[in-house]
Amino acid sequence: MIEVLSVASEAYPLIKTGGLADVAGALPGALGAHGVSMRTLIPGYPAVMREASAGRVVYEFNDLFGAWARLVAGRFAGLDLLVLDASHLYDRPGGPYAGPDGRDFADNWMRFAALSWVAGKLALGIVEGYRPQIVHAHDWQAGLAPAYIKYGPTDQVKTVMTVHNLVFQGHFGWDVFGQLDLPPHAYYESVEYYGGVGFLKAGLATADAITTVSPTYAREIRTPAFGAGLDGLINARASVLSGITNGIDVGAWDPSTDAELPQGYSANTLHKRAANKTAIRERFGLEATDGPLFAVVSRLTSQKGIDLITANVDWLVSLGATLMILGSGDGQLEADLLAAAGRHAGRVAMYRGYDEGLSHLIQGGADAILIPSRFEPCGLTQLYGLRYGCVPVVARVGGLADTVIDANEAAVEAGVATGVQFSPVASEALGEAIKRTVDLFRNEKVWRKMQRRGMKADVSWSGSARKYANLYASLLGQERDEQFGD
Ligand code: ADP
Protein backbone atom coordinates (compact mmCIF):
# COMPACT_ATOMS: atom_id res chain seq x y z
CA MET A 1 0.00 0.00 0.00
CA ILE A 2 1.14 3.55 -0.71
CA GLU A 3 0.47 5.82 2.30
CA VAL A 4 -0.86 9.21 1.26
CA LEU A 5 -1.78 12.12 3.51
CA SER A 6 -4.38 14.33 1.89
CA VAL A 7 -4.49 17.90 3.22
CA ALA A 8 -7.79 19.63 2.63
CA SER A 9 -9.80 22.48 4.10
CA GLU A 10 -13.10 20.76 3.27
CA ALA A 11 -14.28 17.17 2.93
CA TYR A 12 -17.79 15.96 2.23
CA PRO A 13 -19.90 15.03 4.19
CA LEU A 14 -18.33 16.90 7.10
CA ILE A 15 -17.84 20.34 5.64
CA LYS A 16 -18.46 21.58 2.12
CA THR A 17 -18.63 24.84 0.23
CA GLY A 18 -17.80 23.53 -3.24
CA GLY A 19 -16.33 20.85 -5.44
CA LEU A 20 -13.09 20.47 -3.45
CA ALA A 21 -15.08 18.90 -0.60
CA ASP A 22 -16.57 16.32 -2.91
CA VAL A 23 -13.13 15.35 -4.18
CA ALA A 24 -11.51 15.18 -0.75
CA GLY A 25 -14.44 13.15 0.53
CA ALA A 26 -14.64 10.64 -2.30
CA LEU A 27 -11.06 10.05 -3.40
CA PRO A 28 -9.89 8.10 -0.32
CA GLY A 29 -12.60 5.47 -0.73
CA ALA A 30 -11.86 5.02 -4.42
CA LEU A 31 -8.09 4.74 -3.94
CA GLY A 32 -8.29 1.64 -1.76
CA ALA A 33 -8.83 -0.60 -4.77
CA HIS A 34 -5.70 0.86 -6.34
CA GLY A 35 -3.30 0.05 -3.55
CA VAL A 36 -3.37 3.47 -1.88
CA SER A 37 -4.27 4.18 1.72
CA MET A 38 -5.30 7.81 2.17
CA ARG A 39 -5.78 9.70 5.40
CA THR A 40 -7.06 13.25 5.41
CA LEU A 41 -5.83 16.12 7.56
CA ILE A 42 -8.64 18.60 8.07
CA PRO A 43 -9.23 21.62 10.35
CA GLY A 44 -11.36 21.02 13.43
CA TYR A 45 -14.20 23.39 12.58
CA PRO A 46 -17.23 23.03 14.90
CA ALA A 47 -19.00 20.76 12.40
CA VAL A 48 -15.96 18.51 12.26
CA MET A 49 -15.35 18.48 16.02
CA ARG A 50 -18.92 17.39 16.66
CA GLU A 51 -18.01 14.14 14.89
CA ALA A 52 -14.43 13.91 16.07
CA SER A 53 -14.77 14.68 19.77
CA ALA A 54 -14.68 10.99 20.64
CA GLY A 55 -11.55 10.35 18.58
CA ARG A 56 -8.11 9.33 19.74
CA VAL A 57 -5.65 12.09 20.58
CA VAL A 58 -2.46 11.21 18.74
CA TYR A 59 -0.39 14.36 19.22
CA GLU A 60 -0.39 17.61 21.17
CA PHE A 61 1.20 20.91 20.17
CA ASN A 62 2.04 23.26 23.01
CA ASP A 63 2.21 26.23 20.70
CA LEU A 64 0.65 26.01 17.28
CA PHE A 65 0.68 29.58 16.01
CA GLY A 66 0.04 30.97 19.45
CA ALA A 67 -1.93 28.40 21.38
CA TRP A 68 -2.29 24.80 22.35
CA ALA A 69 -3.68 22.35 19.79
CA ARG A 70 -3.93 18.65 19.21
CA LEU A 71 -4.46 16.04 16.53
CA VAL A 72 -7.44 13.73 16.85
CA ALA A 73 -7.46 10.56 14.78
CA GLY A 74 -10.33 8.33 13.85
CA ARG A 75 -12.88 7.26 11.32
CA PHE A 76 -15.54 9.91 11.17
CA ALA A 77 -18.37 10.14 8.66
CA GLY A 78 -16.74 7.32 6.71
CA LEU A 79 -13.38 9.08 6.39
CA ASP A 80 -10.03 8.19 7.93
CA LEU A 81 -9.22 11.58 9.42
CA LEU A 82 -6.58 13.43 11.32
CA VAL A 83 -8.45 16.41 12.71
CA LEU A 84 -6.50 19.46 13.75
CA ASP A 85 -8.29 20.51 16.93
CA ALA A 86 -7.12 24.10 17.44
CA SER A 87 -9.89 26.15 18.96
CA HIS A 88 -8.08 29.48 18.57
CA LEU A 89 -8.04 28.90 14.81
CA TYR A 90 -11.17 26.96 13.92
CA ASP A 91 -13.74 27.05 16.71
CA ARG A 92 -15.85 29.97 15.55
CA PRO A 93 -19.22 30.58 13.93
CA GLY A 94 -19.55 30.97 10.18
CA GLY A 95 -18.15 28.95 7.33
CA PRO A 96 -14.67 27.51 6.86
CA TYR A 97 -13.24 30.77 5.52
CA ALA A 98 -15.60 33.56 6.55
CA GLY A 99 -17.68 34.63 9.51
CA PRO A 100 -21.48 34.85 9.69
CA ASP A 101 -21.24 38.32 8.12
CA GLY A 102 -19.66 36.75 5.02
CA ARG A 103 -16.32 38.47 5.51
CA ASP A 104 -13.15 36.39 5.28
CA PHE A 105 -11.47 35.80 8.62
CA ALA A 106 -8.56 38.22 8.97
CA ASP A 107 -6.29 35.44 10.21
CA ASN A 108 -6.94 33.00 7.35
CA TRP A 109 -3.25 33.04 6.55
CA MET A 110 -2.54 31.67 10.01
CA ARG A 111 -5.45 29.23 10.06
CA PHE A 112 -4.20 27.54 6.91
CA ALA A 113 -0.48 28.00 7.43
CA ALA A 114 -1.07 26.01 10.62
CA LEU A 115 -2.83 23.26 8.70
CA SER A 116 0.06 23.00 6.23
CA TRP A 117 2.70 23.27 8.94
CA VAL A 118 1.13 20.30 10.72
CA ALA A 119 1.17 18.37 7.43
CA GLY A 120 4.89 19.07 7.25
CA LYS A 121 5.33 17.68 10.75
CA LEU A 122 3.27 14.58 9.95
CA ALA A 123 5.61 13.97 7.02
CA LEU A 124 8.39 13.75 9.57
CA GLY A 125 6.57 10.99 11.43
CA ILE A 126 5.54 12.87 14.60
CA VAL A 127 2.61 10.52 15.11
CA GLU A 128 3.82 7.15 16.26
CA GLY A 129 3.28 4.41 13.72
CA TYR A 130 2.29 6.82 10.98
CA ARG A 131 4.41 8.24 8.24
CA PRO A 132 3.01 9.15 4.82
CA GLN A 133 5.06 8.58 1.67
CA ILE A 134 3.17 11.26 -0.23
CA VAL A 135 1.54 14.47 0.93
CA HIS A 136 -1.26 15.55 -1.38
CA ALA A 137 -2.20 19.20 -0.90
CA HIS A 138 -5.49 20.65 -2.14
CA ASP A 139 -5.82 24.31 -3.11
CA TRP A 140 -4.25 27.37 -1.52
CA GLN A 141 -5.30 26.41 1.99
CA ALA A 142 -2.85 23.51 1.80
CA GLY A 143 -0.44 25.28 -0.55
CA LEU A 144 2.30 25.73 2.02
CA ALA A 145 2.43 22.00 2.81
CA PRO A 146 4.78 21.16 -0.10
CA ALA A 147 6.93 24.14 0.89
CA TYR A 148 7.21 23.02 4.53
CA ILE A 149 8.27 19.61 3.28
CA LYS A 150 10.72 20.91 0.69
CA TYR A 151 12.38 23.20 3.22
CA GLY A 152 12.15 20.66 6.02
CA PRO A 153 14.75 18.10 7.07
CA THR A 154 13.69 15.28 4.74
CA ASP A 155 13.08 15.07 1.04
CA GLN A 156 11.89 11.48 1.35
CA VAL A 157 8.26 12.47 1.28
CA LYS A 158 6.95 13.44 -2.16
CA THR A 159 4.32 16.10 -2.68
CA VAL A 160 1.40 16.68 -5.03
CA MET A 161 -0.32 20.04 -5.37
CA THR A 162 -3.81 19.89 -6.80
CA VAL A 163 -5.46 23.02 -8.12
CA HIS A 164 -9.24 22.92 -7.95
CA ASN A 165 -9.58 26.57 -8.90
CA LEU A 166 -6.59 28.72 -9.77
CA VAL A 167 -8.44 31.92 -9.01
CA PHE A 168 -8.32 31.30 -5.27
CA GLN A 169 -4.66 31.78 -4.43
CA GLY A 170 -4.27 32.68 -0.77
CA HIS A 171 -2.45 35.96 -1.31
CA PHE A 172 -1.34 37.78 1.86
CA GLY A 173 0.97 40.59 2.89
CA TRP A 174 4.73 40.07 2.94
CA ASP A 175 4.76 40.71 6.67
CA VAL A 176 3.24 37.31 7.47
CA PHE A 177 6.25 35.53 6.00
CA GLY A 178 8.27 36.01 9.17
CA GLN A 179 5.67 34.02 11.10
CA LEU A 180 5.48 31.07 8.76
CA ASP A 181 8.50 29.19 10.11
CA LEU A 182 10.14 28.90 6.69
CA PRO A 183 13.80 29.73 6.04
CA PRO A 184 14.41 33.23 4.63
CA HIS A 185 15.57 31.96 1.23
CA ALA A 186 12.18 30.28 0.74
CA TYR A 187 10.70 33.75 0.26
CA TYR A 188 12.37 34.60 -3.03
CA GLU A 189 12.69 31.01 -4.20
CA SER A 190 9.07 29.99 -3.80
CA VAL A 191 6.71 31.93 -1.61
CA GLU A 192 6.94 35.53 -2.81
CA TYR A 193 4.11 36.60 -5.08
CA TYR A 194 3.74 40.18 -6.32
CA GLY A 195 5.47 41.54 -3.26
CA GLY A 196 3.46 39.45 -0.81
CA VAL A 197 3.05 35.85 0.15
CA GLY A 198 1.25 33.42 -2.16
CA PHE A 199 0.19 30.17 -0.56
CA LEU A 200 -0.88 28.48 -3.79
CA LYS A 201 2.10 29.93 -5.57
CA ALA A 202 4.38 28.35 -2.98
CA GLY A 203 2.74 24.98 -3.55
CA LEU A 204 3.05 25.27 -7.31
CA ALA A 205 6.70 26.22 -7.01
CA THR A 206 7.70 23.44 -4.63
CA ALA A 207 5.48 20.39 -5.24
CA ASP A 208 6.97 17.37 -6.98
CA ALA A 209 3.84 17.10 -9.12
CA ILE A 210 1.02 19.48 -9.95
CA THR A 211 -2.40 18.35 -11.01
CA THR A 212 -5.56 20.11 -12.00
CA VAL A 213 -8.96 18.53 -12.15
CA SER A 214 -9.30 18.12 -15.93
CA PRO A 215 -6.91 17.88 -18.88
CA THR A 216 -8.43 20.88 -20.67
CA TYR A 217 -8.05 23.08 -17.57
CA ALA A 218 -4.45 21.89 -17.25
CA ARG A 219 -3.84 23.28 -20.75
CA GLU A 220 -5.89 26.43 -20.21
CA ILE A 221 -4.03 27.56 -17.08
CA ARG A 222 -0.85 27.80 -19.12
CA THR A 223 -2.38 30.76 -20.96
CA PRO A 224 -2.75 34.34 -19.70
CA ALA A 225 -6.53 34.16 -20.16
CA PHE A 226 -6.91 31.37 -17.59
CA GLY A 227 -3.61 31.56 -15.72
CA ALA A 228 -4.72 34.18 -13.17
CA GLY A 229 -1.22 35.65 -13.07
CA LEU A 230 0.44 32.27 -12.47
CA ASP A 231 0.69 31.07 -16.07
CA GLY A 232 4.39 31.94 -16.24
CA LEU A 233 5.22 29.74 -13.25
CA ILE A 234 2.87 27.02 -14.44
CA ASN A 235 4.53 26.97 -17.85
CA ALA A 236 7.91 26.69 -16.19
CA ARG A 237 6.63 23.66 -14.31
CA ALA A 238 4.69 22.16 -17.24
CA SER A 239 6.75 18.96 -17.19
CA VAL A 240 5.21 17.96 -13.84
CA LEU A 241 1.70 19.22 -14.64
CA SER A 242 -1.17 16.94 -15.57
CA GLY A 243 -4.96 16.93 -15.53
CA ILE A 244 -7.02 14.20 -13.86
CA THR A 245 -10.75 14.58 -14.27
CA ASN A 246 -12.83 14.32 -11.11
CA GLY A 247 -15.34 11.59 -10.59
CA ILE A 248 -18.42 11.73 -8.41
CA ASP A 249 -19.62 9.62 -5.52
CA VAL A 250 -21.90 7.28 -7.45
CA GLY A 251 -23.21 5.82 -4.21
CA ALA A 252 -24.46 9.14 -2.88
CA TRP A 253 -25.60 10.10 -6.37
CA ASP A 254 -27.61 7.16 -7.62
CA PRO A 255 -31.05 7.91 -9.06
CA SER A 256 -32.28 4.39 -8.33
CA THR A 257 -31.68 4.67 -4.57
CA ASP A 258 -31.64 8.44 -3.90
CA ALA A 259 -33.78 9.13 -0.83
CA GLU A 260 -34.23 12.76 -1.91
CA LEU A 261 -36.21 11.69 -4.96
CA PRO A 262 -39.94 11.03 -4.63
CA GLN A 263 -39.47 8.53 -7.45
CA GLY A 264 -36.35 6.48 -8.13
CA TYR A 265 -35.51 5.48 -11.70
CA SER A 266 -32.80 4.05 -13.91
CA ALA A 267 -31.72 4.40 -17.53
CA ASN A 268 -34.31 1.76 -18.41
CA THR A 269 -37.17 3.42 -16.51
CA LEU A 270 -36.64 7.02 -17.54
CA HIS A 271 -40.38 7.61 -17.86
CA LYS A 272 -40.54 7.52 -14.06
CA ARG A 273 -38.55 10.77 -13.83
CA ALA A 274 -41.79 12.59 -14.69
CA ALA A 275 -42.94 12.23 -11.06
CA ASN A 276 -39.86 14.13 -9.87
CA LYS A 277 -40.45 16.87 -12.40
CA THR A 278 -44.00 17.15 -11.11
CA ALA A 279 -42.67 17.41 -7.56
CA ILE A 280 -40.44 20.33 -8.54
CA ARG A 281 -43.26 22.03 -10.40
CA GLU A 282 -45.68 21.68 -7.52
CA ARG A 283 -43.22 22.81 -4.90
CA PHE A 284 -42.15 25.89 -6.83
CA GLY A 285 -45.34 26.73 -8.67
CA LEU A 286 -44.02 26.08 -12.15
CA GLU A 287 -46.44 25.45 -14.98
CA ALA A 288 -46.46 22.22 -16.97
CA THR A 289 -45.49 23.57 -20.39
CA ASP A 290 -44.55 21.20 -23.20
CA GLY A 291 -41.00 22.57 -23.31
CA PRO A 292 -38.09 21.33 -21.22
CA LEU A 293 -37.61 22.27 -17.56
CA PHE A 294 -34.13 23.81 -17.42
CA ALA A 295 -32.25 24.02 -14.15
CA VAL A 296 -29.40 25.95 -12.60
CA VAL A 297 -27.65 24.61 -9.47
CA SER A 298 -24.72 26.83 -8.79
CA ARG A 299 -22.78 29.32 -6.79
CA LEU A 300 -24.02 32.58 -8.24
CA THR A 301 -20.81 34.19 -9.40
CA SER A 302 -19.38 35.70 -12.52
CA GLN A 303 -17.23 32.56 -13.00
CA LYS A 304 -20.39 30.53 -13.43
CA GLY A 305 -21.67 32.84 -16.20
CA ILE A 306 -24.88 33.52 -14.28
CA ASP A 307 -25.31 36.89 -16.01
CA LEU A 308 -25.64 34.99 -19.29
CA ILE A 309 -28.57 33.09 -17.81
CA THR A 310 -30.25 36.33 -16.76
CA ALA A 311 -29.75 37.65 -20.28
CA ASN A 312 -31.47 34.58 -21.73
CA VAL A 313 -34.44 34.16 -19.38
CA ASP A 314 -36.96 35.93 -21.62
CA TRP A 315 -35.75 33.98 -24.63
CA LEU A 316 -35.94 30.66 -22.76
CA VAL A 317 -39.50 31.38 -21.66
CA SER A 318 -40.49 32.48 -25.17
CA LEU A 319 -39.46 29.02 -26.41
CA GLY A 320 -42.00 27.38 -24.10
CA ALA A 321 -39.42 26.22 -21.59
CA THR A 322 -39.38 26.71 -17.82
CA LEU A 323 -36.47 27.36 -15.45
CA MET A 324 -35.72 26.30 -11.87
CA ILE A 325 -32.79 28.03 -10.18
CA LEU A 326 -31.07 26.88 -6.98
CA GLY A 327 -28.19 29.00 -5.83
CA SER A 328 -26.78 31.77 -3.77
CA GLY A 329 -23.86 34.12 -4.01
CA ASP A 330 -23.31 37.53 -5.54
CA GLY A 331 -26.06 39.92 -4.39
CA GLN A 332 -26.59 41.55 -7.78
CA LEU A 333 -26.83 38.22 -9.60
CA GLU A 334 -29.28 36.96 -6.97
CA ALA A 335 -31.38 40.09 -7.37
CA ASP A 336 -31.38 39.83 -11.17
CA LEU A 337 -32.53 36.22 -11.08
CA LEU A 338 -35.19 36.92 -8.46
CA ALA A 339 -36.45 39.76 -10.63
CA ALA A 340 -36.61 37.41 -13.62
CA ALA A 341 -38.56 34.91 -11.52
CA GLY A 342 -40.95 37.68 -10.48
CA ARG A 343 -41.43 38.74 -14.11
CA HIS A 344 -42.13 35.18 -15.23
CA ALA A 345 -44.17 33.75 -12.39
CA GLY A 346 -45.09 30.16 -13.19
CA ARG A 347 -42.28 29.89 -15.74
CA VAL A 348 -39.18 30.74 -13.73
CA ALA A 349 -38.66 29.90 -10.04
CA MET A 350 -35.76 30.49 -7.76
CA TYR A 351 -34.74 29.04 -4.42
CA ARG A 352 -32.08 31.26 -2.97
CA GLY A 353 -29.77 29.31 -0.70
CA TYR A 354 -27.72 26.17 -0.48
CA ASP A 355 -29.71 22.96 -0.25
CA GLU A 356 -28.05 19.62 -0.96
CA GLY A 357 -31.33 17.68 -0.92
CA LEU A 358 -32.99 20.05 -3.36
CA SER A 359 -29.99 19.80 -5.68
CA HIS A 360 -30.66 16.05 -5.90
CA LEU A 361 -34.36 16.58 -6.61
CA ILE A 362 -33.55 19.07 -9.34
CA GLN A 363 -31.05 16.75 -11.03
CA GLY A 364 -33.60 13.96 -10.75
CA GLY A 365 -36.51 15.88 -12.21
CA ALA A 366 -35.36 18.72 -14.47
CA ASP A 367 -34.73 17.96 -18.15
CA ALA A 368 -31.53 19.91 -18.68
CA ILE A 369 -29.00 21.74 -16.54
CA LEU A 370 -27.43 24.99 -17.72
CA ILE A 371 -23.72 25.50 -16.96
CA PRO A 372 -22.41 28.55 -18.85
CA SER A 373 -19.17 28.88 -16.85
CA ARG A 374 -16.50 31.29 -18.08
CA PHE A 375 -14.00 28.82 -16.76
CA GLU A 376 -14.51 25.51 -15.04
CA PRO A 377 -11.61 23.51 -13.63
CA CYS A 378 -13.69 20.33 -13.69
CA GLY A 379 -17.22 20.96 -12.55
CA LEU A 380 -19.31 18.38 -10.78
CA THR A 381 -22.77 19.61 -11.63
CA GLN A 382 -22.57 18.34 -15.22
CA LEU A 383 -21.42 14.94 -13.93
CA TYR A 384 -24.43 14.72 -11.61
CA GLY A 385 -26.55 15.79 -14.59
CA LEU A 386 -25.15 12.98 -16.75
CA ARG A 387 -25.71 10.44 -13.99
CA TYR A 388 -29.31 11.59 -13.43
CA GLY A 389 -30.38 11.98 -17.06
CA CYS A 390 -30.53 15.77 -16.62
CA VAL A 391 -28.90 16.74 -19.90
CA PRO A 392 -25.99 19.17 -19.40
CA VAL A 393 -25.86 22.30 -21.53
CA VAL A 394 -22.34 23.57 -21.04
CA ALA A 395 -19.77 26.13 -22.07
CA ARG A 396 -16.89 24.48 -23.92
CA VAL A 397 -14.25 25.16 -21.29
CA GLY A 398 -12.22 23.14 -18.79
CA GLY A 399 -13.76 19.98 -17.44
CA LEU A 400 -17.07 20.76 -19.12
CA ALA A 401 -15.36 20.30 -22.50
CA ASP A 402 -13.81 17.01 -21.32
CA THR A 403 -16.92 15.34 -19.95
CA VAL A 404 -19.86 16.25 -22.20
CA ILE A 405 -20.20 15.08 -25.80
CA ASP A 406 -21.97 17.72 -27.86
CA ALA A 407 -25.11 16.71 -29.72
CA ASN A 408 -23.86 17.84 -33.09
CA GLU A 409 -25.28 16.04 -36.09
CA ALA A 410 -22.50 13.47 -36.30
CA ALA A 411 -22.66 12.66 -32.59
CA VAL A 412 -26.45 12.32 -32.65
CA GLU A 413 -26.18 10.13 -35.74
CA ALA A 414 -23.58 7.93 -34.04
CA GLY A 415 -25.63 7.85 -30.83
CA VAL A 416 -22.79 9.17 -28.67
CA ALA A 417 -24.09 12.61 -27.70
CA THR A 418 -24.60 13.28 -23.99
CA GLY A 419 -25.32 17.01 -23.90
CA VAL A 420 -24.95 20.36 -25.60
CA GLN A 421 -21.78 22.45 -25.73
CA PHE A 422 -21.45 26.05 -26.81
CA SER A 423 -18.67 28.48 -27.49
CA PRO A 424 -17.73 31.29 -27.08
CA VAL A 425 -19.02 31.86 -23.55
CA ALA A 426 -21.37 34.65 -24.51
CA SER A 427 -25.04 35.41 -24.28
CA GLU A 428 -25.88 34.74 -27.96
CA ALA A 429 -24.08 31.40 -27.97
CA LEU A 430 -25.94 30.31 -24.83
CA GLY A 431 -29.18 31.44 -26.47
CA GLU A 432 -28.46 29.24 -29.48
CA ALA A 433 -27.62 26.34 -27.20
CA ILE A 434 -30.92 26.78 -25.36
CA LYS A 435 -32.78 26.75 -28.68
CA ARG A 436 -30.88 23.67 -29.80
CA THR A 437 -31.74 21.95 -26.53
CA VAL A 438 -35.44 22.79 -26.85
CA ASP A 439 -35.42 21.31 -30.38
CA LEU A 440 -33.63 18.17 -29.23
CA PHE A 441 -36.07 17.81 -26.34
CA ARG A 442 -38.99 17.89 -28.74
CA ASN A 443 -37.57 14.84 -30.53
CA GLU A 444 -38.32 12.34 -27.80
CA LYS A 445 -36.39 9.46 -29.32
CA VAL A 446 -33.20 11.45 -29.67
CA TRP A 447 -33.64 13.00 -26.22
CA ARG A 448 -34.14 9.69 -24.43
CA LYS A 449 -31.11 8.26 -26.18
CA MET A 450 -29.03 11.23 -25.08
CA GLN A 451 -30.22 10.84 -21.49
CA ARG A 452 -29.44 7.13 -21.49
CA ARG A 453 -26.05 7.65 -23.04
CA GLY A 454 -25.18 10.18 -20.34
CA MET A 455 -26.41 7.89 -17.59
CA LYS A 456 -24.13 5.16 -18.87
CA ALA A 457 -21.04 7.35 -19.03
CA ASP A 458 -18.49 6.36 -16.39
CA VAL A 459 -18.45 9.30 -14.01
CA SER A 460 -17.27 7.25 -11.04
CA TRP A 461 -14.01 7.80 -9.22
CA SER A 462 -12.45 4.54 -10.31
CA GLY A 463 -10.75 5.78 -13.48
CA SER A 464 -9.47 8.96 -11.82
CA ALA A 465 -8.37 7.08 -8.72
CA ARG A 466 -6.26 4.81 -10.89
CA LYS A 467 -4.58 7.85 -12.43
CA TYR A 468 -3.81 9.37 -9.02
CA ALA A 469 -2.48 6.00 -7.83
CA ASN A 470 -0.22 5.81 -10.87
CA LEU A 471 1.01 9.34 -10.24
CA TYR A 472 1.84 8.53 -6.60
CA ALA A 473 3.64 5.37 -7.68
CA SER A 474 5.67 7.21 -10.30
CA LEU A 475 6.74 9.81 -7.74
CA LEU A 476 7.99 7.00 -5.54
CA GLY A 477 9.80 5.42 -8.47
CA GLN A 478 7.60 2.36 -8.26
CA GLU A 479 6.39 0.20 -11.09
CA ARG A 480 2.70 -0.44 -10.68
CA ASP A 481 1.71 -4.02 -10.00
CA GLU A 482 -0.24 -5.76 -12.75
CA GLN A 483 -3.29 -5.97 -10.49
CA PHE A 484 -3.61 -2.21 -10.38
CA GLY A 485 -3.60 -1.76 -14.15
CA ASP A 486 -1.57 0.84 -16.00
P1 ADP B 1 -17.64 24.86 -7.62
O1 ADP B 1 -16.84 23.98 -6.74
O2 ADP B 1 -16.84 25.81 -8.47
O3 ADP B 1 -18.77 25.58 -6.93
P2 ADP B 1 -18.49 22.38 -8.89
O4 ADP B 1 -19.45 22.13 -10.01
O5 ADP B 1 -17.18 21.73 -8.97
O6 ADP B 1 -18.38 23.96 -8.72
O7 ADP B 1 -19.15 21.90 -7.53
C1 ADP B 1 -20.26 22.53 -7.04
C2 ADP B 1 -20.94 21.62 -6.05
O8 ADP B 1 -21.77 22.37 -5.18
C3 ADP B 1 -21.84 20.59 -6.68
O9 ADP B 1 -21.86 19.47 -5.82
C4 ADP B 1 -23.20 21.31 -6.69
O10 ADP B 1 -24.27 20.42 -6.74
C5 ADP B 1 -23.14 22.02 -5.39
N1 ADP B 1 -23.94 23.24 -5.29
C6 ADP B 1 -23.67 24.47 -5.78
N2 ADP B 1 -24.60 25.35 -5.41
C7 ADP B 1 -25.49 24.67 -4.68
C8 ADP B 1 -26.70 25.04 -3.97
N3 ADP B 1 -27.14 26.29 -3.99
N4 ADP B 1 -27.34 24.08 -3.30
C9 ADP B 1 -26.89 22.82 -3.29
N5 ADP B 1 -25.77 22.41 -3.91
C10 ADP B 1 -25.08 23.32 -4.59
Side-chain angles (χ1 to χ4, degrees):
M1 280 298 218
I2 299 177
E3 276 290 342
V4 181
L5 175 68
S6 167
V7 188
S9 57
E10 305 179 19
Y12 182 81
L14 286 172
I15 179 97
K16 166 170 161 172
T17 68
L20 154 66
D22 291 311
V23 178
L27 190 54
L31 280 166
H34 299 278
V36 176
S37 163
M38 177 174 272
R39 287 183 116 175
T40 304
L41 173 66
I42 188 165
Y45 313 114
V48 177
M49 288 318 298
R50 276 197 287 280
E51 295 282 330
S53 55
R56 203 161 40 89
V57 176
V58 293
Y59 199 82
E60 297 196 19
F61 301 94
N62 286 327
D63 181 1
L64 178 72
F65 288 81
W68 175 88
R70 61 186 188 169
L71 275 170
V72 179
R75 236 190 133 70
F76 313 113
L79 295 168
D80 184 1
L81 297 184
L82 286 163
V83 176
L84 181 53
D85 180 14
S87 54
H88 63 300
L89 300 175
Y90 309 126
D91 184 14
R92 47 182 90 168
Y97 318 118
D101 60 359
R103 289 162 67 149
D104 282 354
F105 296 120
D107 59 350
N108 271 346
W109 71 269
M110 187 195 286
R111 301 172 73 233
F112 296 106
L115 183 74
S116 298
W117 185 87
V118 168
K121 294 297 174 212
L122 284 165
L124 300 179
I126 56 165
V127 169
E128 203 183 320
Y130 179 64
R131 178 133 188 206
Q133 296 163 283
I134 306 263
V135 169
H136 187 161
H138 295 277
D139 275 350
W140 74 263
Q141 292 87 349
L144 288 184
Y148 282 121
I149 291 165
K150 176 173 166 148
Y151 294 106
T154 174
D155 59 359
Q156 294 298 302
V157 175
K158 300 295 177 198
T159 55
V160 178
M161 180 78 239
T162 291
V163 181
H164 297 265
N165 190 338
L166 191 65
V167 165
F168 302 118
Q169 301 185 348
H171 194 197
F172 303 101
W174 64 271
D175 48 320
V176 310
F177 181 79
Q179 298 171 71
L180 293 181
D181 188 29
L182 284 165
H185 60 102
Y187 187 69
Y188 288 108
E189 278 175 21
S190 323
V191 181
E192 188 275 338
Y193 185 56
Y194 288 110
V197 162
F199 279 26
L200 181 64
K201 192 253 172 172
L204 294 172
T206 54
D208 295 302
I210 300 168
T211 70
T212 66
V213 287
S214 71
T216 294
Y217 191 59
R219 282 193 298 276
E220 287 169 344
I221 60 173
R222 297 179 61 182
T223 66
F226 292 90
L230 286 165
D231 41 296
L233 170 63
I234 290 166
N235 269 313
R237 303 227 60 211
S239 64
V240 300
L241 169 69
S242 61
I244 301 178
T245 307
N246 288 334
I248 59 172
D249 181 339
V250 292
W253 288 88
D254 179 347
S256 67
T257 58
D258 192 329
E260 304 290 347
L261 302 183
Q263 176 65 60
Y265 60 92
S266 69
N268 298 324
T269 57
L270 269 170
H271 58 280
K272 292 188 178 174
R273 282 183 99 250
N276 300 327
K277 183 152 139 182
T278 301
I280 299 172
R281 282 174 169 161
E282 285 177 356
R283 183 165 160 195
F284 294 97
L286 286 167
E287 291 164 18
T289 65
D290 64 354
L293 170 58
F294 284 95
V296 173
V297 177
S298 184
R299 289 188 292 120
L300 303 179
T301 65
S302 142
Q303 174 199 336
K304 300 292 181 181
I306 301 299
D307 50 310
L308 307 182
I309 307 249
T310 312
N312 273 287
V313 168
D314 296 353
W315 168 239
L316 182 152
V317 169
S318 78
L319 296 172
T322 49
L323 175 63
M324 174 71 223
I325 302 155
L326 166 62
S328 63
D330 182 275
Q332 187 61 52
L333 294 172
E334 283 182 358
D336 292 346
L337 290 173
L338 285 167
R343 212 167 55 238
H344 295 291
R347 298 299 177 99
V348 178
M350 171 162 178
Y351 181 94
R352 188 162 62 95
Y354 190 95
D355 187 325
E356 187 80 24
L358 181 55
S359 75
H360 284 243
L361 174 62
I362 290 175
Q363 295 277 15
D367 297 300
I369 186 148
L370 296 174
I371 314 172
S373 306
R374 295 201 157 81
F375 67 95
E376 194 61 79
C378 176
L380 297 173
T381 330
Q382 84 279 13
L383 302 179
Y384 300 140
L386 290 171
R387 176 104 173 124
Y388 276 55
C390 186
V391 173
V393 179
V394 305
R396 189 177 296 130
V397 296
L400 301 173
D402 291 332
T403 54
V404 174
I405 300 172
D406 178 60
N408 60 46
E409 215 173 286
V412 170
E413 192 77 9
V416 297
T418 60
V420 171
Q421 292 195 351
F422 66 92
S423 177
V425 191
S427 177
E428 304 72 44
L430 173 60
E432 279 167 33
I434 289 171
K435 172 77 168 81
R436 207 144 66 83
T437 308
V438 171
D439 292 345
L440 286 162
F441 178 79
R442 295 213 152 108
N443 185 338
E444 192 176 335
K445 210 168 136 212
V446 166
W447 188 260
R448 282 269 185 261
K449 196 165 186 171
M450 204 154 74
Q451 285 179 298
R452 270 194 209 102
R453 194 71 206 193
M455 290 179 79
K456 289 187 174 145
D458 183 8
V459 291
S460 78
W461 269 103
S462 66
S464 337
R466 196 186 72 237
K467 289 183 182 137
Y468 279 110
N470 289 342
L471 173 67
Y472 301 145
S474 73
L475 288 173
L476 297 173
Q478 294 179 4
E479 293 286 331
R480 291 275 46 205
D481 292 340
E482 280 281 291
Q483 70 183 106
F484 298 127
D486 55 1

